Each structure stands twice: as structure tokens, then as C-alpha cells.
Amino acid sequence: MILSLVGKHVTLRKQGAHYVGPCPKCGGSQSTTRFVVNVAKDFCQCYSCGFNADPVRFLREIEDMSCPEAHRALGRECDFPQCPVWDKCSCGRGEHPREQRSALTTPATPAERKPARFVADAASTPVELWQHKASRLVERAHQALLDNPEQLAYLAGRGLPREAVERYRLGYVPEDFYRDRASWGLPEELRPDGKPKKLYIPRGILIPWFQAPNPEPATSNLVHRIRIRKATLRNTKDARYYWLPGSGNDIICLNPDATAHVIVESDLDGLLIDWLAGDICATVPLGSCSTHPKATALASLEKSLRILVALDFDKPRWDEDKQQWIAPGAKAALWWSDRFPRAFKRWPVPDGKDPGEAFAAGVDLRAWVVAGLPPALQMKAASAPLSHRVGDYEPPEMPQSVSEAELKVITAADGREFILTDDPLTYRRMVNAGRICFTSEEMRHVIRCVDTPEQAARFLDIKTVFPGIKITESEDLGTAA
């Protein structure tokens, strides 16, 4: 049924068990695969604008039929008592006059739509002791990052050079560690065995957010929130970004006085957009596509002339529990379109799933932001070029690693040589030169599970076939990750 209805409006083509083509709601090219018709489930879904419908909803949304008219056209009964208009519907217990029904069921144009009601919560504030402890952690981590050329190079590769690191006071936690929760002003929490929990601070890139709207000069502001992009994950369900317990829960709005906003998910993507286009837009990194702004960010958003919703553009996946295709970003975008109908614009990056991947693919993110703005703001952006654009900075100079004469070279039982080093620059340089390298931590994992020369040779084989791979766990012959 749904296939024949859609086919009246657009041309579809078969792809596997489904049909794909342009969306009858938002349009699109004939080659697009973002609009999918699931014949088996009699359902259609657009993964660009979020429109989804069964035959009844399709007739109501696309052909402007009332609910009773749609059911009659399909030859279906409409006797669902839980329907919110069942008492008034002609197919329920009552009947609306046609003139009233027509006014109620005619979709409003974008200029007539009223924003959905949304009351933002006020943000929580961390306790004073936590703020002072967090400030010290931020300063130590910031210095550790400035002294770590490998991590600086990683961030530069994501579009955040040393100047950006200093501006946003980014840091690096070199190893996992634990602290007493009480020493940070946090209430006691117990583990399942009844023992007190420790405050866990993982290794990774530390991203602070300060109470003042502008992080410069950050040293004079107290820390409101800390998130850490973890260097390693404990399991497949472990989240990459870690919200340090005790942090405030306000939503970041960088450059809140701007009249255009870009909505992204990750903090590093938010900083990237602010670094490249912060003079022409505000940036709101949510942390998760389902997160909604708090009162402070909402006040800025309500003044916006254009809100570019650039939530992660993940491929649709089939949810076995719900028995339907889901695309979290497209679904979350519907909230923004309902709340800000005049300013909303779905604006996924042209390559990759998020701004970080787009930058790595060579996309000019500043031009991408400008292209989504209204003409008046585009003219303003053209007349106010930003000084720190891509290519305008030099990557940090990498210090020389130890000389080859100073390397610790070990000969295995089968005669092969490998290098033992904890210096990341040396490790990378030797791997690029085709040498087998281990860190001392990797060697501890290997030693725990190796009993014979043959087993040791297996690890050397792994390192030979997969250059640069790190051994992070060891069980039997070890697991490489």
C-alpha cells in the first residue's frame, strides 16, 4: 500500500528488500538513498528530514487529508479508542464540522508554525571544593599537554593547533588515577560489595568549561565542568567521552552573542567549529544528540536567525527490539525543528559523519557554515575573515627522539630483533621504518601469558603483520587492540 502511495509523488528504485529515492516531504536527487520504503512493514522513512509514515499518516501529511478521509481512502476502520481525537473524530464517537476539521488538519506553513513548548532547566553548579580541585587538575593537565608533542600533533590533526589548545585550556591526563570522593567534596557512593567508590579520572584529552562565557583568560575563572575524551575504552559499551562526576551540567554555548548557531555532538567538534568560524556563529556541543539546552544556552538560541543542526550523520541501523530502522540524529533533529521552526536548518557535514571527520577529509568547515547562513549573515561573514584558518598555522615542531645508537634492542629466541621503548616519537619512527616495537606495558602483558618461544614468536608475528598495533590485554596468546 505505502509503495503505491509514494509512487504517485516520486520515482523509486529497488535496492535489496526496500525501495529508495527522493523524499516526497523534503525532496532530494533521484540518486539519493536517504528515503526508504519498507514494503514488508508498509512504512516509509526519510533519514535526512526525519519524516516517517504509515499509509494513513502519508495521506494526511503529503496529500493533506483529514484522519477520517485517509482511513476511508484506504478502506480501513478507524476505531482506536486511544487516539487523542477519538471523541471528536467521525470515525470515533463524534464528528467535527468540516470547516473546523479543515482548519485543524491543514498543516501550517513554516511561517505560521508555533514553537513547541519547552521549559529549560537551570544548570546545576559544582561545589566550591570540587571547583578548586578541578582548577588544579586543569592546570596540571594543560601543562602536560603542552609538554606532549604526540598529543599536540593529534589535536592539530583534528584542526586544533597549539594556539587553540592554549585558548581553550585543553589538557592531557597521562594515566588513569583514582581519588577519594570526599576530598573533592562529593558524597560517598558504595560499590556492590559495600566498599566506597573512588573518583575515577581516566587517561585522555581533558576538555574544561569555565563559569564565564568566554574561557579567556581561563586562569581567572572557576571550572564548571570537565569532560575527558578517553584514550582507551574498557569495553564496546564504554562511552568515549567521560563526564567527570561533580561537574556542573550546563550546556556549552561558545560565543553566545552571535545571531547564528551550529549544533554538534562532541566537545572537540564544537571547539573546532568555534576555532574556524567563531566570529560568525555560536557553537553548542551537546555531548549527545538527545541532550537539550539548559536555560543559559536557550536564551542565546531564541535570538538566533539560523540554527544549523549538524548532529552526527550516522547510517541508519535496524533495531531488533523495536523492529524498525533508527537514525538517532534524524530523530533528534525533529525536536529542534519543532522548537525553532523559523531558524532551524538540518545541516549535516558534506563528508563523514561529523565535523571532525569532515575536516580530516579536507572539507572547508568555515565555508560549510557560511553556506548554511541567511544571505545577510553570509555577507557579514565575507567581510570579516577569521585570522586563524586552516593552513594559516605551522604544526608544532617535533623534538628529536633518541638516536638509534641509544635504542634498547632485544633479540628474541628465533633471532628476530625488536625495540623496547616508551618514547612515543621513537616508537612511531621505528614502526614507520619497519622495525618491531614494544612498550614496557606491552611487554608486561606478553610476559604474563608466554610460556614457550613459540608463543613469544606469535606476538612478533602479530607485530610484523600489523605494524604499530598495541597489545593492551593478554589472555592465552594475548589480544591485540
Side-chain angles (χ1 to χ4, degrees), residues 33-36 45-51 313-317 324-327 330 346:
T33 60
R34 301 297 296 171
F35 180 74
V36 180
Q45 169 81 46
C46 178
Y47 294 101
S48 290
C49 69
F51 170 66
F313 208 59
D314 296 306
K315 293 181 178 179
R317 60 181 178 84
Q324 65 181 24
W325 289 93
I326 61 173
R346 184 89 196 276

Side-chain angles (χ1 to χ4, degrees), residues 138 168-171 206-210 215 223 225-227 252:
V138 167
Y168 302 118
R169 305 300 292 175
L170 299 179
L206 183 144
I207 308 164
W209 174 238
F210 301 89
V223 179
R225 186 185 96 186
I226 287 178
R227 296 189 76 189
I252 295 173

Side-chain angles (χ1 to χ4, degrees), residues 137-421:
L137 173 61
V138 167
E139 290 308 309
R140 291 197 302 269
H142 181 60
Q143 190 57 51
L145 178 55
L146 296 180
D147 294 337
N148 191 316
E150 184 177 29
Q151 294 301 322
L152 287 175
Y154 165 76
L155 288 170
R158 292 193 58 139
L160 296 171
R162 186 185 179 101
E163 295 87 346
V165 167
E166 293 176 348
R167 172 181 173 82
Y168 302 118
R169 305 300 292 175
L170 299 179
Y172 179 64
V173 180
E175 60 182 359
D176 294 356
F177 66 96
Y178 297 83
R179 292 291 183 267
D180 289 331
R181 292 176 58 87
S183 68
W184 280 63
L186 301 179
E188 183 180 68
E189 289 187 4
L190 300 178
R191 300 187 315 195
D193 61 4
K195 295 182 179 179
K197 281 185 178 179
K198 295 281 189 178
L199 174 62
Y200 169 54
I201 303 178
R203 178 171 70 95
I205 301 293
L206 183 144
I207 308 164
W209 174 238
F210 301 89
Q211 283 187 327
N214 190 334
E216 288 189 310
T219 52
S220 63
N221 302 323
L222 289 177
V223 179
H224 174 80
R225 186 185 96 186
I226 287 178
R227 296 189 76 189
I228 297 175
R229 187 186 188 280
K230 290 188 285 190
T232 56
L233 302 181
R234 295 175 170 180
N235 52 61
T236 56
K237 295 183 179 180
D238 197 9
R240 173 63 71 181
Y241 281 86
Y242 177 77
W243 197 302
L244 188 66
S247 295
N249 66 350
D250 206 357
I251 300 301
I252 295 173
C253 184
L254 295 161
N255 189 21
D257 294 330
T259 52
H261 295 67
V262 180
I263 312 299
V264 297
E265 289 192 33
S266 83
D267 284 3
L268 287 181
D269 285 347
L271 296 180
L272 172 62
I273 298 300
D274 184 68
W275 179 250
L276 298 176
D279 60 325
I280 57 175
C281 69
T283 311
V284 183
L286 300 175
S288 167
C289 67
S290 60
T291 301
H292 297 156
K294 301 291 184 184
T296 304
L298 183 62
S300 175
L301 287 160
E302 287 177 334
K303 298 180 293 183
S304 185
L305 300 178
R306 178 58 51 83
I307 299 175
L308 302 177
V309 178
L311 300 174
D312 288 4
F313 208 59
D314 296 306
K315 293 181 178 179
R317 60 181 178 84
W318 180 255
D319 189 306
E320 286 293 341
D321 295 332
K322 297 180 179 180
Q323 285 295 295
Q324 65 181 24
W325 289 93
I326 61 173
K331 181 179 179 181
L334 293 176
W335 182 90
W336 292 88
S337 65
D338 288 341
R339 184 60 185 78
F340 304 98
R342 290 182 175 85
F344 168 83
K345 189 170 188 177
R346 184 89 196 276
W347 201 243
V349 291
D351 197 348
K353 72 178 182 66
D354 56 40
E357 289 190 3
F359 177 85
V363 174
D364 185 339
L365 290 177
R366 182 180 175 87
W368 165 72
V369 171
V370 172
L373 301 181
L377 295 184
Q378 289 181 346
M379 294 176 62
K380 180 181 177 181
S383 63
L386 194 64
S387 60
H388 49 258
R389 299 214 192 165
V390 180
D392 287 352
Y393 64 88
E394 294 293 332
E397 183 178 348
M398 304 289 279
Q400 295 297 317
S401 55
V402 298
S403 67
E404 192 158 347
E406 298 172 323
L407 291 176
K408 187 173 184 179
V409 181
I410 300 174
T411 303
D414 61 2
R416 282 185 286 181
E417 293 183 343
F418 63 89
I419 295 167
L420 184 63
T421 178

